[in-house]
Amino acid sequence: DAHFHMPISEGLAEEMSKMHGENEPISDPILGKDVTLDEILCFFDKEKVDGAIGFYIVDPTSLGDTLEVARNIKEQSSDSIALFLMPTVLDAGKLDSIHKSNAGLFKGYGELAFYDEGLKPLTPSDQKLLNIYDVAEKYSLVVMMHPDIGQKSNVEKALQNNPGVNFLLHGFQ
């Protein structure tokens, strides 16, 4: 399965509740509360899924807890879930630091959805992303992105400026 959104951690759910208030319920499933990793792996086994790219949102306010959950996912899934870190709120320096202290935990970055509100002001060739691609190359990470309509030249620029990075391009919204 090339596309699986991991449930969020309880710490991230708490932070999201604080940001959005109690009037706006969190719709994302919470790992350990709404679904367990054992249940996910059981579903994978039942559906004969050998492996998956698991897109994992990192909570920058409780990074240690978030990374601990990621380490547990990697260990318990016997590497059948290749975690992709969703780095939209982190800068390249912080990402480099995460990889130095958690070697091999993540297999890539993504999904970078340029049509989404959080990335809408950016394009695949903005300097912030170019810096992140440098970190991806340094640690041999795949970058998965959803370019937005009209971003073909930005994607081409990102690819040309980063020949050592493997990009996985997904369709538009």
Tab-separated table of all heavy atoms in Angstrom, residues 40-65:
chain	number	residue	atom	x	y	z
A	40	ILE	N	-4.148	-2.176	13.246
A	40	ILE	CA	-3.722	-1.762	11.898
A	40	ILE	C	-2.965	-2.903	11.223
A	40	ILE	O	-3.240	-3.254	10.073
A	40	ILE	CB	-2.855	-0.487	11.962
A	40	ILE	CG1	-3.700	0.710	12.403
A	40	ILE	CG2	-2.180	-0.213	10.610
A	40	ILE	CD1	-2.891	1.945	12.754
A	41	LEU	N	-2.022	-3.504	11.951
A	41	LEU	CA	-1.230	-4.591	11.379
A	41	LEU	C	-2.098	-5.819	11.081
A	41	LEU	O	-1.864	-6.517	10.088
A	41	LEU	CB	-0.070	-4.944	12.312
A	41	LEU	CG	0.965	-3.831	12.490
A	41	LEU	CD1	1.988	-4.210	13.558
A	41	LEU	CD2	1.636	-3.465	11.185
A	42	CYS	N	-3.115	-6.042	11.900
A	42	CYS	CA	-4.057	-7.133	11.643
A	42	CYS	C	-4.836	-6.877	10.347
A	42	CYS	O	-5.013	-7.789	9.526
A	42	CYS	CB	-5.013	-7.295	12.823
A	42	CYS	SG	-6.176	-8.667	12.636
A	43	PHE	N	-5.277	-5.632	10.157
A	43	PHE	CA	-5.969	-5.265	8.909
A	43	PHE	C	-5.036	-5.455	7.714
A	43	PHE	O	-5.446	-5.963	6.671
A	43	PHE	CB	-6.474	-3.828	8.944
A	43	PHE	CG	-7.625	-3.595	9.874
A	43	PHE	CD1	-7.606	-2.518	10.746
A	43	PHE	CD2	-8.730	-4.437	9.886
A	43	PHE	CE1	-8.663	-2.288	11.617
A	43	PHE	CE2	-9.797	-4.212	10.751
A	43	PHE	CZ	-9.760	-3.135	11.621
A	44	PHE	N	-3.786	-5.037	7.862
A	44	PHE	CA	-2.812	-5.224	6.782
A	44	PHE	C	-2.681	-6.705	6.449
A	44	PHE	O	-2.669	-7.098	5.285
A	44	PHE	CB	-1.442	-4.661	7.175
A	44	PHE	CG	-1.295	-3.171	7.057
A	44	PHE	CD1	-2.362	-2.339	6.768
A	44	PHE	CD2	-0.053	-2.587	7.240
A	44	PHE	CE1	-2.209	-0.968	6.660
A	44	PHE	CE2	0.111	-1.211	7.131
A	44	PHE	CZ	-0.957	-0.409	6.840
A	45	ASP	N	-2.550	-7.530	7.480
A	45	ASP	CA	-2.400	-8.965	7.263
A	45	ASP	C	-3.629	-9.535	6.559
A	45	ASP	O	-3.507	-10.306	5.606
A	45	ASP	CB	-2.173	-9.662	8.609
A	45	ASP	CG	-1.825	-11.121	8.460
A	45	ASP	OD1	-0.930	-11.440	7.643
A	45	ASP	OD2	-2.455	-11.952	9.147
A	46	LYS	N	-4.808	-9.157	7.022
A	46	LYS	CA	-6.061	-9.642	6.441
A	46	LYS	C	-6.174	-9.260	4.960
A	46	LYS	O	-6.654	-10.033	4.140
A	46	LYS	CB	-7.241	-9.061	7.214
A	46	LYS	CG	-8.594	-9.524	6.724
A	46	LYS	CD	-9.710	-8.924	7.550
A	46	LYS	CE	-11.059	-9.326	7.005
A	46	LYS	NZ	-12.145	-8.678	7.729
A	47	GLU	N	-5.715	-8.061	4.619
A	47	GLU	CA	-5.806	-7.564	3.240
A	47	GLU	C	-4.562	-7.898	2.411
A	47	GLU	O	-4.418	-7.434	1.289
A	47	GLU	CB	-6.039	-6.048	3.239
A	47	GLU	CG	-7.359	-5.629	3.859
A	47	GLU	CD	-8.565	-6.165	3.107
A	47	GLU	OE1	-8.521	-6.251	1.867
A	47	GLU	OE2	-9.556	-6.512	3.777
A	48	LYS	N	-3.646	-8.658	3.019
A	48	LYS	CA	-2.409	-9.079	2.354
A	48	LYS	C	-1.526	-7.901	1.932
A	48	LYS	O	-0.932	-7.906	0.852
A	48	LYS	CB	-2.714	-10.005	1.182
A	48	LYS	CG	-3.413	-11.285	1.625
A	48	LYS	CD	-3.688	-12.200	0.468
A	48	LYS	CE	-4.339	-13.497	0.820
A	48	LYS	NZ	-5.113	-13.665	1.986
A	49	VAL	N	-1.449	-6.902	2.792
A	49	VAL	CA	-0.566	-5.759	2.571
A	49	VAL	C	0.797	-6.112	3.159
A	49	VAL	O	0.915	-6.352	4.364
A	49	VAL	CB	-1.129	-4.477	3.238
A	49	VAL	CG1	-0.135	-3.333	3.124
A	49	VAL	CG2	-2.462	-4.096	2.621
A	50	ASP	N	1.805	-6.176	2.312
A	50	ASP	CA	3.154	-6.521	2.777
A	50	ASP	C	3.862	-5.346	3.424
A	50	ASP	O	4.718	-5.528	4.276
A	50	ASP	CB	4.006	-7.022	1.609
A	50	ASP	CG	3.493	-8.338	1.049
A	50	ASP	OD1	2.997	-9.166	1.835
A	50	ASP	OD2	3.590	-8.526	-0.176
A	51	GLY	N	3.541	-4.159	2.979
A	51	GLY	CA	4.184	-2.970	3.509
A	51	GLY	C	3.430	-1.732	3.078
A	51	GLY	O	2.593	-1.786	2.183
A	52	ALA	N	3.722	-0.641	3.750
A	52	ALA	CA	3.031	0.609	3.438
A	52	ALA	C	3.925	1.796	3.738
A	52	ALA	O	4.781	1.731	4.625
A	52	ALA	CB	1.745	0.725	4.261
A	53	ILE	N	3.707	2.853	3.002
A	53	ILE	CA	4.276	4.146	3.358
A	53	ILE	C	3.296	4.754	4.347
A	53	ILE	O	2.126	4.930	4.031
A	53	ILE	CB	4.434	5.063	2.133
A	53	ILE	CG1	5.467	4.479	1.166
A	53	ILE	CG2	4.817	6.473	2.568
A	53	ILE	CD1	5.556	5.233	-0.148
A	54	GLY	N	3.766	5.022	5.542
A	54	GLY	CA	2.915	5.592	6.580
A	54	GLY	C	3.261	7.053	6.809
A	54	GLY	O	4.340	7.358	7.315
A	55	PHE	N	2.366	7.933	6.416
A	55	PHE	CA	2.594	9.369	6.598
A	55	PHE	C	2.307	9.718	8.057
A	55	PHE	O	1.210	9.480	8.559
A	55	PHE	CB	1.727	10.177	5.640
A	55	PHE	CG	2.036	9.864	4.210
A	55	PHE	CD1	1.158	9.131	3.433
A	55	PHE	CD2	3.231	10.259	3.640
A	55	PHE	CE1	1.454	8.807	2.122
A	55	PHE	CE2	3.544	9.949	2.325
A	55	PHE	CZ	2.651	9.222	1.566
A	56	TYR	N	3.299	10.293	8.717
A	56	TYR	CA	3.250	10.489	10.160
A	56	TYR	C	3.456	11.962	10.495
A	56	TYR	O	4.502	12.530	10.184
A	56	TYR	CB	4.329	9.626	10.821
A	56	TYR	CG	4.322	9.654	12.320
A	56	TYR	CD1	3.270	9.094	13.036
A	56	TYR	CD2	5.362	10.242	13.014
A	56	TYR	CE1	3.267	9.118	14.421
A	56	TYR	CE2	5.366	10.259	14.395
A	56	TYR	CZ	4.316	9.694	15.093
A	56	TYR	OH	4.314	9.723	16.458
A	57	ILE	N	2.470	12.546	11.154
A	57	ILE	CA	2.546	13.961	11.543
A	57	ILE	C	3.347	14.076	12.832
A	57	ILE	O	3.066	13.386	13.809
A	57	ILE	CB	1.144	14.563	11.739
A	57	ILE	CG1	0.335	14.478	10.448
A	57	ILE	CG2	1.249	16.009	12.224
A	57	ILE	CD1	-1.119	14.915	10.596
A	58	VAL	N	4.322	14.944	12.819
A	58	VAL	CA	5.153	15.182	13.997
A	58	VAL	C	4.629	16.389	14.746
A	58	VAL	O	4.293	17.412	14.156
A	58	VAL	CB	6.618	15.421	13.571
A	58	VAL	CG1	7.459	15.853	14.745
A	58	VAL	CG2	7.190	14.159	12.969
A	59	ASP	N	4.557	16.255	16.058
A	59	ASP	CA	4.131	17.349	16.920
A	59	ASP	C	5.374	18.087	17.424
A	59	ASP	O	6.102	17.559	18.260
A	59	ASP	CB	3.323	16.796	18.091
A	59	ASP	CG	2.929	17.859	19.090
A	59	ASP	OD1	3.021	19.062	18.763
A	59	ASP	OD2	2.520	17.496	20.203
A	60	PRO	N	5.641	19.295	16.908
A	60	PRO	CA	6.857	19.994	17.323
A	60	PRO	C	6.841	20.429	18.790
A	60	PRO	O	7.892	20.666	19.368
A	60	PRO	CB	6.911	21.213	16.387
A	60	PRO	CG	5.524	21.395	15.904
A	60	PRO	CD	4.871	20.047	15.935
A	61	THR	N	5.661	20.500	19.410
A	61	THR	CA	5.596	20.930	20.813
A	61	THR	C	5.943	19.800	21.771
A	61	THR	O	6.353	20.052	22.900
A	61	THR	CB	4.200	21.495	21.160
A	61	THR	OG1	3.226	20.477	20.939
A	61	THR	CG2	3.883	22.717	20.319
A	62	SER	N	5.756	18.557	21.346
A	62	SER	CA	6.149	17.417	22.182
A	62	SER	C	6.899	16.421	21.312
A	62	SER	O	6.505	15.268	21.167
A	62	SER	CB	4.932	16.778	22.848
A	62	SER	OG	4.041	16.273	21.893
A	63	LEU	N	7.990	16.887	20.751
A	63	LEU	CA	8.752	16.123	19.766
A	63	LEU	C	9.234	14.794	20.333
A	63	LEU	O	9.161	13.761	19.672
A	63	LEU	CB	9.929	16.948	19.263
A	63	LEU	CG	10.651	16.450	18.031
A	63	LEU	CD1	9.697	16.238	16.871
A	63	LEU	CD2	11.743	17.423	17.631
A	64	GLY	N	9.688	14.782	21.576
A	64	GLY	CA	10.189	13.547	22.179
A	64	GLY	C	9.131	12.467	22.218
A	64	GLY	O	9.381	11.313	21.863
A	65	ASP	N	7.926	12.822	22.662
A	65	ASP	CA	6.827	11.849	22.710
A	65	ASP	C	6.456	11.377	21.318
A	65	ASP	O	6.211	10.188	21.094
A	65	ASP	CB	5.596	12.456	23.390
A	65	ASP	CG	5.819	12.727	24.868
A	65	ASP	OD1	6.727	12.107	25.461
A	65	ASP	OD2	5.082	13.561	25.419
